[in-house]
Amino acid sequence: MAKLYGNQKQTEKTLSLSEDLINRYPNNTKSLSVLAGAQIVNNKMDLAEKTLRQIIDNDKQDIDHRLLLARVLSEKPGSENEVLKLVDEASAIAPQKTQPIIFKITFLIKLKRFEEASELASKADSLFPNSNLGKLLKADIYLAEKKLDKALESYQQAYTAQPSDKVLFIIVDLLNAQNQTPQTVTFLKNAVVKNPKNLLIRLKL
């Protein structure tokens, strides 16, 4: 309890310091960014929204604070259209960045707008051909739709293109969820052959 109280005091102190900073350097982007972060940590979302709007009004090419504002608004009922608009603006400013697409697909999944999310995942596959991003996003969509077979197939394609422990463990969990124990063992044994020093994979066997 004392630790929780201490953390709360610390976040309140951070907010107070950031407010002092903005008084000394009004309209400074870095100061405003610190203030917005402190407001979010202190759950003062209305104030954070106002601060973030000020930042992006000052800098029409700002991506990070657009996405942060979209994240804040994503928890506010009735703000769906503005969230998507902000993310689209961020994509238009920097089409080479993956964060706006990832955010938009995640948000569309939350809204259960799976068809739109799937179309955007296919676009991600074309935009970033050297990445497994599109395949992972498609897999996430299938998983949200509870289409486990298709999710498994997409995760396996993503793992083949770019192996990672996180994706491997998702595949194992999906195989186990479908009671495919022999396939799980075979998959893990093949993974161990390719990564003999990976202890995490061995522990899954």
Side-chain angles (χ1 to χ4, degrees):
M1 192 61 152
K3 185 176 180 181
L4 178 63
Y5 178 77
N7 288 341
Q8 183 179 349
K9 282 292 185 184
Q10 189 64 40
T11 57
E12 289 172 356
K13 184 178 179 182
T14 301
L15 179 58
S16 177
L17 289 171
S18 63
E19 289 170 342
D20 289 342
L21 185 65
I22 205 67
N23 286 332
R24 289 201 300 273
Y25 305 102
N27 225 31
N28 177 276
T29 299
K30 288 184 179 179
S31 300
L32 287 166
S33 182
V34 171
L35 177 61
Q39 289 165 335
I40 290 170
V41 168
N42 282 274
N43 204 32
K44 297 184 181 294
M45 295 305 179
D46 288 344
L47 291 175
E49 178 186 336
K50 183 179 177 181
T51 303
L52 289 166
R53 288 187 189 281
Q54 186 178 348
I55 294 172
I56 64 175
D57 281 345
N58 291 345
D59 183 357
K60 303 300 183 185
Q61 298 300 305
D62 188 297
I63 299 167
D64 294 336
H65 294 100
R66 260 182 179 72
L67 292 178
L68 187 54
L69 177 57
R71 193 173 299 281
V72 169
L73 291 175
S74 69
E75 302 300 326
K76 188 176 179 180
S79 297
E80 292 84 2
N81 289 338
E82 187 174 7
V83 169
L84 294 172
K85 178 174 176 287
L86 285 163
V87 177
D88 286 342
E89 288 174 355
S91 286
I93 293 166
Q96 77 282 5
K97 288 191 175 290
T98 60
Q99 294 96 322
I101 287 181
I102 294 170
F103 183 96
K104 186 172 183 179
I105 289 177
T106 303
F107 189 60
L108 288 170
I109 290 172
K110 180 182 176 182
L111 298 177
K112 299 189 184 304
R113 289 163 59 171
F114 299 122
E115 188 175 342
E116 291 173 68
S118 184
E119 288 174 3
L120 191 55
S122 296
K123 183 180 177 182
D125 240 347
S126 301
L127 286 173
F128 310 105
N130 297 323
S131 166
N132 66 351
L133 177 64
K135 296 176 181 63
L136 284 174
L137 291 170
K138 283 181 182 178
D140 290 344
I141 295 163
Y142 287 134
L143 193 60
E145 292 180 290
K146 299 188 180 351
K147 296 178 179 177
L148 299 188
D149 287 340
K150 288 187 174 181
L152 178 59
E153 182 182 352
S154 290
Y155 281 124
Q156 287 174 327
Q157 289 173 355
Y159 184 80
T160 300
Q162 200 170 329
S164 75
D165 289 346
K166 181 180 178 180
V167 177
L168 180 142
F169 295 148
I170 292 173
I171 291 170
V172 169
D173 288 342
L174 283 171
L175 286 169
N176 287 335
Q178 297 179 78
N179 297 314
Q180 297 186 35
T181 304
Q183 291 91 328
T184 303
V185 173
T186 300
F187 176 69
L188 286 171
K189 284 182 176 179
N190 289 335
V192 167
V193 170
K194 293 176 183 177
N195 303 276
K197 294 182 180 179
N198 192 319
L199 295 177
L200 289 174
I201 298 176
R202 289 181 178 277
L203 287 172
K204 278 283 184 180
L205 271 170

